[in-house]
């Protein structure tokens, strides 16, 4: 069996059949077909997408996770599902690790978690609720990295993701005629104030963080009406969970103050929280040893700290005794993750699959 060709075939299929969060129906069916073809025990769920498979025998359970959803974004002028975050690659690498391991004599069980809805930051919770990490002592994830973090051929044993959360808000003021602005409460003025406010938030420069408006919707087709209402959203990130709490409080205080200043109502809620990484030193050391064994010392990169977020870290938040780490694969990925035209060196897929398989065997 040509494992590298199978990995590339898997990638090409998932790349050309992307599905967004919670709608990965055909993706789940395809994964089930692959497991049936390989003779691997697996099960799906009646109420959510995703799949769990298992090979090997023994009391100990080691797991590996792949996220399966795509983003919804404009590509070449057309809105569509798109695997610009590389989850198609993650699935292919994890399936490749399964191919490397399935005919091995294993003294432990190896569980493969194909998880939905990572892009919404809560798909991992659905898998946790359905027993994905029951009995699991060690958990590994894998993700391609942009070229500014890792070049092709370099692999890191741990990604230290930051924390991320969205804020969705609504401004309720008063509409007015364009000739009589004094009679209204202009939501656009409030939006401008919020924009300036979030840019004036400062914490220690030794820890990364950001808050920025990512969505604004206000007004209609009539250009002589000053709009009183608006919807807005923010993307908020920090490198640690403690700083995220401070950042959320600062933003909430600021929005309340702006509402008072402009005499409007600002309602908001926080959604889709993703925690910062809680990396296990034990899991990181095991992955580091496996990378050195597979690729050599020169290809083994130090841990990477990145401002991106990943709901993989809910697994350790919900089960603190779990030894978990996410392995980062250098792939010369450009222009960047979530860019509609993201591309990478496909030879990285085989590298990631081998590293994952050796990490699991080393555990």
């Amino acid at each position: 069996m040509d494992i590298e060709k199978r990995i590339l075939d898997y990638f090409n299929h998932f790349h050309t059949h992307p599905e967004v969060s919670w709608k990965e129906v055909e993706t789940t069916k395809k994964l089930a077909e692959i497991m049936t073809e390989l003779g691997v025990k697996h099960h799906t769920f009646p109420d959510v997408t995703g799949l769990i498979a298992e090979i090997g025998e023994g009391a100990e359970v080691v797991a590996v996770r792949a996220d399966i959803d795509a983003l919804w974004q404009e590509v070449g002028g057309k809105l569509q599902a798109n695997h610009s975050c590389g989850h198609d690659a993650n699935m292919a690498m994890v399936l490749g690790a399964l191919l490397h391991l399935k005919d091995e004599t294993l003294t432990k069980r190896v569980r493969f978690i194909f998880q939905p809805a990572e892009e919404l930051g809560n798909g991992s919770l659905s898998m946790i609720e359905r027993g994905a990490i029951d009995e699991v002592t060690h958990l590994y994830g894998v993700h391609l990295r942009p070229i500014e973090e890792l070049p092709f051929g370099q692999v890191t044993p741990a990604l230290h993701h930051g924390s991320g959360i969205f804020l969705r808000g609504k401004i309720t003021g008063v509409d007015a005629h364009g000739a009589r602005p004094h009679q209204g409460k202009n939501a656009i003025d409030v939006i401008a104030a919020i924009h300036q406010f979030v840019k004036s938030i400062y914490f220690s420069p030794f820890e990364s963080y950001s808050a920025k408006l990512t969505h604004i919707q206000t007004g209609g087709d009539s250009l002589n009406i000053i709009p009183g209402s608006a919807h807005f959203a923010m993307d908020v990130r920090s490198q640690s969970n403690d700083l995220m709490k401070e950042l959320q409080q600062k933003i909430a205080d600021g929005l309340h103050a702006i509402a008072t200043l402009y005499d409007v109502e600002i309602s908001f809620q926080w959604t889709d929280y993703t925690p910062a990484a809680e990396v296990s030193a034990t899991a990181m050391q095991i992955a580091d040893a496996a990378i050195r064994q597979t690729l050599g010392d020169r290809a083994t990169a130090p841990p990477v700290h990145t401002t991106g977020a990943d709901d993989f870290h809910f697994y350790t938040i919900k089960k603190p005794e779990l030894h978990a780490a996410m392995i980062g694969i250098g792939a010369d990925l450009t222009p960047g993750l979530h860019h509609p035209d993201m591309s990478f060196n496909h030879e990285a897929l085989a590298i990631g699959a081998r590293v994952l398989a050796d990490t699991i065997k080393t555990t």
Side-chain angles (χ1 to χ4, degrees):
M1 177 172 57
D2 187 338
I3 292 179
E4 291 191 14
K5 182 180 183 304
R6 293 283 289 275
I7 292 170
L8 189 57
D9 287 345
Y10 292 147
F11 167 78
N12 287 330
H13 174 85
F14 293 121
H15 183 73
T16 54
H17 296 83
E19 296 177 297
V20 297
S21 302
W22 300 124
K23 297 181 180 179
E24 311 96 330
V25 175
E26 295 303 318
T27 301
T28 300
K29 286 182 182 178
K30 179 63 176 179
L31 288 165
E33 289 173 8
I34 292 169
M35 297 306 162
T36 300
E37 177 189 337
L38 297 175
V40 174
K41 294 184 298 183
H42 63 278
H43 66 272
T44 54
F45 306 94
D47 53 345
V48 297
T49 46
L51 177 145
I52 294 177
E54 197 167 279
I55 60 174
E57 301 290 341
E60 183 184 0
V61 184
V62 176
V64 60
R65 171 269 210 175
D67 31 18
I68 68 174
D69 57 329
L71 291 157
W72 184 257
Q73 65 184 156
E74 185 174 324
V75 184
K78 178 185 175 183
L79 283 170
Q80 64 181 68
N82 187 36
H83 270 302
S84 58
C85 198
H87 295 179
D88 45 2
N90 297 349
M91 284 186 278
M93 288 186 285
V94 169
L95 287 168
L98 189 155
L99 292 176
H100 282 294
L101 293 169
K102 77 179 191 69
D103 295 325
E104 295 263 350
T105 301
L106 300 170
T107 58
K108 54 182 171 282
R109 286 180 283 156
V110 181
R111 187 173 297 167
F112 298 84
I113 304 167
F114 293 90
Q115 176 214 299
E118 187 281 326
E119 294 298 348
L120 294 182
N122 53 17
S124 59
L125 296 176
S126 72
M127 292 293 99
I128 293 167
E129 291 165 0
R130 288 160 181 80
I133 54 173
D134 290 356
E135 304 177 274
V136 174
T137 59
H138 296 71
L139 173 69
Y140 301 98
V142 65
H143 210 298
L144 301 179
R145 303 317 303 158
I147 194 169
E148 64 265 24
E149 289 183 3
L150 286 178
F152 172 74
Q154 291 280 299
V155 178
T156 178
L159 296 174
H160 290 261
H161 287 101
S163 175
I165 197 168
F166 300 135
L167 179 146
R168 299 178 186 273
K170 180 181 179 182
I171 299 164
T172 304
V174 178
D175 285 9
H177 192 292
R180 302 175 183 86
H182 61 288
Q183 294 179 352
K185 297 174 182 177
N186 191 340
I188 295 176
D189 290 341
V190 181
I191 287 288
I194 293 171
H195 178 65
Q196 286 302 116
F197 159 67
V198 295
K199 289 184 172 297
S200 70
I201 295 174
Y202 296 107
F203 291 99
S204 168
F206 297 106
E207 189 168 8
S208 63
Y209 61 91
S210 69
K212 56 276 176 190
L213 286 167
T214 55
H215 173 82
I216 299 170
Q217 184 177 7
T218 187
D221 292 335
S222 298
L223 302 184
N224 62 346
I225 297 175
I226 296 171
S229 65
H231 290 84
F232 66 97
M234 291 185 202
D235 176 288
V236 181
R237 297 178 185 265
S238 73
Q239 198 59 50
S240 72
N241 294 316
D242 288 340
L243 181 57
M244 173 58 78
K245 293 176 184 176
E246 294 185 56
L247 192 50
Q248 285 180 264
Q249 187 61 55
K250 179 79 77 172
I251 291 169
D253 292 344
L255 292 178
H256 291 312
I258 290 170
T260 300
L261 179 64
Y262 285 85
D263 192 22
V264 297
E265 179 185 343
I266 301 178
S267 58
F268 61 90
Q269 61 178 344
W270 298 99
T271 66
D272 300 331
Y273 168 67
T274 305
E278 302 286 351
V279 177
S280 159
T282 298
M284 182 175 66
Q285 289 164 6
I286 292 169
D288 185 277
I291 297 166
R292 293 181 191 280
Q293 175 183 316
T294 308
L295 304 176
D297 292 343
R298 294 183 66 181
T300 306
V304 170
H305 288 76
T306 177
T307 53
D310 197 296
D311 79 349
F312 176 82
H313 306 295
F314 267 126
Y315 291 105
T316 48
I317 295 292
K318 296 297 183 179
K319 188 175 182 179
E321 68 272 24
L322 183 67
H323 296 294
M326 179 174 283
I327 298 167
I329 309 296
D332 284 349
L333 187 155
T334 59
L337 293 169
H338 288 210
H339 190 284
D341 300 320
M342 184 273 277
S343 64
F344 66 96
N345 186 335
H346 291 175
E347 293 179 22
L349 298 172
I351 293 173
R354 284 180 14 238
V355 166
L356 270 178
D358 286 344
T359 299
I360 291 165
K361 286 193 292 186
T362 304
T363 301

